[in-house]
Amino acid sequence: MSDKQPSLSRIRLGPVVLHGATVVLRPPRIADHGQWRRIRLRDRSQIEPFWSSSPLEWHERHTARLWVRECLAVREESRAGRRVAMVIEVDGRFAGQVELISIDTGTGSAELGVWVDSEVARHGIGGLAVAMVLDFGFGPVGLQRITAPISPANVATASGAVRLGFQREAMMTRYFDAGGARRDHELWALTAAMVPPGGFAAAWVRGHRADRSAPRPLPPTAERTGPPIDTGTVIAAAARHYAGRVLHLMDPLRAPRVPSLSDRDQPRVVLRKRRLADGRQWRAARLRARAALDPNAEAPHSTWADAHTRGHWLREVLRSRPGLRSTAGLVLAIEVDGAYAGECRLFDLDMFDRNARMFVWTDPALGGDTDRVRTAATRLLVAYAFDALGLCRIATAIEPQDRDAAAVAARIGMVREGRMSRFVGATGRRADHDLWAVTVPDDTASPRT
């Protein structure tokens, strides 16, 4: 994954005209709070069933303080290149939001989200806003794959995804906590190869022009409601936001202090923190595993060796050192009979969604013990994620031809949910991957706090 991504702040897209209405996408402003709150409270029945769960009442989730903190978070994540969050403006009025989150220019991937004011819904406005963001993502940002998790009950959104060209790839079991419970979500995706001639926005406008049914006129622009947010509220919200950022740096998922993990049934296999002294064994094991791990297997052997020097190992250990914010996620060494034998990795760790992805590799020198060790290590990692970290879902991407990895996944209770096209797996290869996942049982899932 890329550690440094270009800033995506101050982006403005459009104008694009549809049915005589001018659509512009621009960053959110603190002054938008009154319109945002009015629409969200009015459209609660359409939005809340598909929105993230919270112990707060719906009106408590739409205060001035929370909107200020959201605007600050958007600015921060946009500057870091991780997010593009835009207000949908129709003829100058606030009409919803659309965003790309979890942007990773290293893998060329991002996730899409959108909601639209019910008064302009069914006019093609939401689809056009999404199309504009897709053009920006596949164009200037250089993404190769954009996904959208959609609830099976959200028929209108799924219909719009089909019209834009999204393809359904998988049913993700208990993927997201929405409407008060963990719920299944369909995985929909687009790749750069699917971009239509002239782009998505132009194709969307052409499609609506070809539609012979007369569009309904947009309702008159609503007046702004509520007084502007006072300076004291902005200062207090900003203070809470930046204090939260400091606490986030100490998040146990990002700075884990992990004990050694072992299983009485497989006492030979231990998961532990990586050590500087593991460097020589790490390099030897990676060179032996080159055929399975190197995304450029046809490149000269020296290319792979040059990427596994003592200096590279030092940087690897520091990236996942407890106490530092780790971009690599949680990485543990696999030890067999006291010797380094591979690694387990939990990444894309998200305490909000309580989801993570997983990758396990072992030294080919294990020979006939390989499957046994991988199974034991994977089982230990999943148990630790569910019991100690409080996660609810662990997923892994496995290339279809990797039958050994699929067998290990099935052995520990993972289920194949579908196939993802042109996905970049943990090895760095862009190829089709099967999505496998395991979720914590309903009766053991801890409540959201």
Side-chain angles (χ1 to χ4, degrees):
M1 294 183 183
S2 175
D3 293 337
K4 181 67 175 177
Q5 299 185 172
S7 173
L8 295 171
S9 61
R10 300 183 180 180
I11 301 299
R12 184 180 178 90
L13 304 178
V16 178
V17 177
L18 180 67
H19 301 321
T22 300
V23 178
V24 170
L25 306 184
R26 48 109 177 142
R29 304 168 185 151
I30 291 176
D32 290 325
H33 170 256
Q35 287 287 62
W36 171 75
R37 175 180 168 84
R38 180 186 67 81
I39 296 169
R40 299 273 298 186
L41 293 184
R42 185 199 66 210
D43 290 350
R44 175 180 180 177
S45 61
Q46 292 102 312
I47 300 172
E48 189 178 24
F50 310 115
W51 211 253
S52 58
S53 300
S54 170
L56 298 177
E57 292 295 330
W58 189 246
H59 71 278
E60 295 174 325
R61 302 178 67 181
H62 295 84
T63 62
R65 176 175 57 84
L66 291 180
W67 176 248
V68 171
R69 290 173 66 183
E70 170 66 11
C71 288
L72 292 174
V74 166
R75 292 175 190 175
E76 186 176 89
E77 293 177 25
S78 296
R79 291 190 187 113
R82 296 190 299 267
R83 183 178 181 186
V84 176
M86 313 290 280
V87 164
I88 304 169
E89 216 175 59
V90 181
D91 292 336
R93 65 184 285 186
F94 186 108
Q97 292 172 276
V98 61
E99 64 178 357
L100 290 175
I101 62 172
S102 301
I103 296 173
D104 185 347
T105 54
T107 61
S109 63
E111 184 177 296
L112 173 76
V114 63
W115 72 270
V116 181
D117 180 352
S118 64
E119 289 186 352
V120 301
R122 296 177 297 279
H123 289 78
I125 300 298
L128 176 58
V130 169
M132 293 164 70
V133 166
L134 291 175
D135 286 337
F136 181 70
F138 286 122
V141 182
L143 299 178
Q144 295 296 310
R145 177 179 163 86
I146 296 176
T147 60
I150 301 176
S151 167
N154 197 344
V155 177
T157 298
S159 176
V162 170
R163 190 167 182 177
L164 281 161
F166 277 86
Q167 294 186 356
R168 183 186 181 279
E169 294 185 333
M171 176 66 80
M172 301 181 292
T173 306
R174 302 184 65 223
Y175 174 75
F176 185 61
D177 194 335
R182 300 280 310 185
R183 302 186 190 279
D184 297 351
H185 279 68
E186 296 173 336
L187 177 64
W188 293 76
L190 278 170
T191 66
M194 300 175 185
V195 178
F200 287 98
W204 187 262
V205 172
R206 285 196 304 270
H208 275 264
R209 286 175 178 168
D211 187 351
R212 296 183 179 180
S213 59
R216 294 181 301 163
L218 290 173
T221 302
E223 295 183 0
R224 293 187 177 272
T225 58
I229 301 176
D230 63 88
T231 303
T233 298
V234 174
I235 293 173
R240 286 182 62 90
H241 169 76
Y242 291 115
R245 296 301 301 157
V246 172
L247 292 175
H248 185 63
L249 293 177
M250 298 182 288
D251 187 329
L253 288 178
R254 292 186 176 271
R257 298 188 180 277
V258 185
S260 293
L261 307 175
S262 59
D263 187 340
R264 286 178 299 179
D265 295 334
Q266 293 287 344
R268 299 174 56 218
V269 180
V270 174
L271 300 189
R272 58 161 174 80
K273 183 178 68 175
R274 295 193 290 185
R275 304 167 184 157
L276 288 175
D278 293 328
R280 181 176 299 176
Q281 292 89 342
W282 168 78
R283 185 174 190 275
R286 294 281 287 187
L287 291 177
R288 283 189 289 265
R290 175 177 178 266
L293 297 173
D294 187 8
N296 301 300
E298 299 302 321
H301 187 75
S302 59
T303 302
W304 183 248
D306 290 345
H308 291 83
T309 63
R310 183 176 299 178
H312 281 84
W313 174 248
L314 177 61
R315 288 192 292 272
E316 282 287 309
V317 173
L318 290 177
R319 286 178 71 211
S320 58
R321 180 182 173 186
L324 296 178
R325 183 174 180 175
S326 172
T327 58
L330 171 62
V331 185
L332 299 176
I334 303 171
E335 188 178 271
V336 179
D337 294 332
Y340 178 94
E343 290 180 351
C344 292
R345 181 179 169 210
L346 273 178
F347 57 108
D348 286 353
L349 297 164
D350 191 330
M351 200 56 182
F352 179 77
D353 291 341
R354 293 192 291 173
N355 294 339
R357 291 168 57 197
M358 172 183 69
F359 180 64
V360 179
W361 70 271
T362 52
D363 187 345
L366 291 170
D369 281 343
T370 298
D371 284 351
R372 187 179 301 108
V373 170
R374 287 183 68 177
T375 301
T378 305
R379 186 174 284 120
L380 284 171
L381 184 68
V382 170
Y384 178 75
F386 287 159
D387 298 339
L389 299 182
L391 299 182
C392 288
R393 174 184 162 91
I394 306 294
T396 191
I398 300 175
E399 293 187 42
Q401 66 272 22
D402 192 348
R403 296 182 180 178
D404 292 338
V408 171
R411 206 171 292 135
I412 68 160
M414 303 188 90
V415 175
R416 181 185 178 279
E417 296 179 331
R419 180 162 295 176
M420 303 177 292
S421 62
R422 295 189 53 75
F423 179 86
V424 176
T427 65
R429 280 187 286 267
R430 183 175 297 282
D432 290 354
H433 284 71
D434 288 336
L435 177 63
W436 291 73
V438 61
T439 62
V440 68
D442 288 330
D443 57 355
T444 60
S446 56
R448 180 180 295 277
T449 57

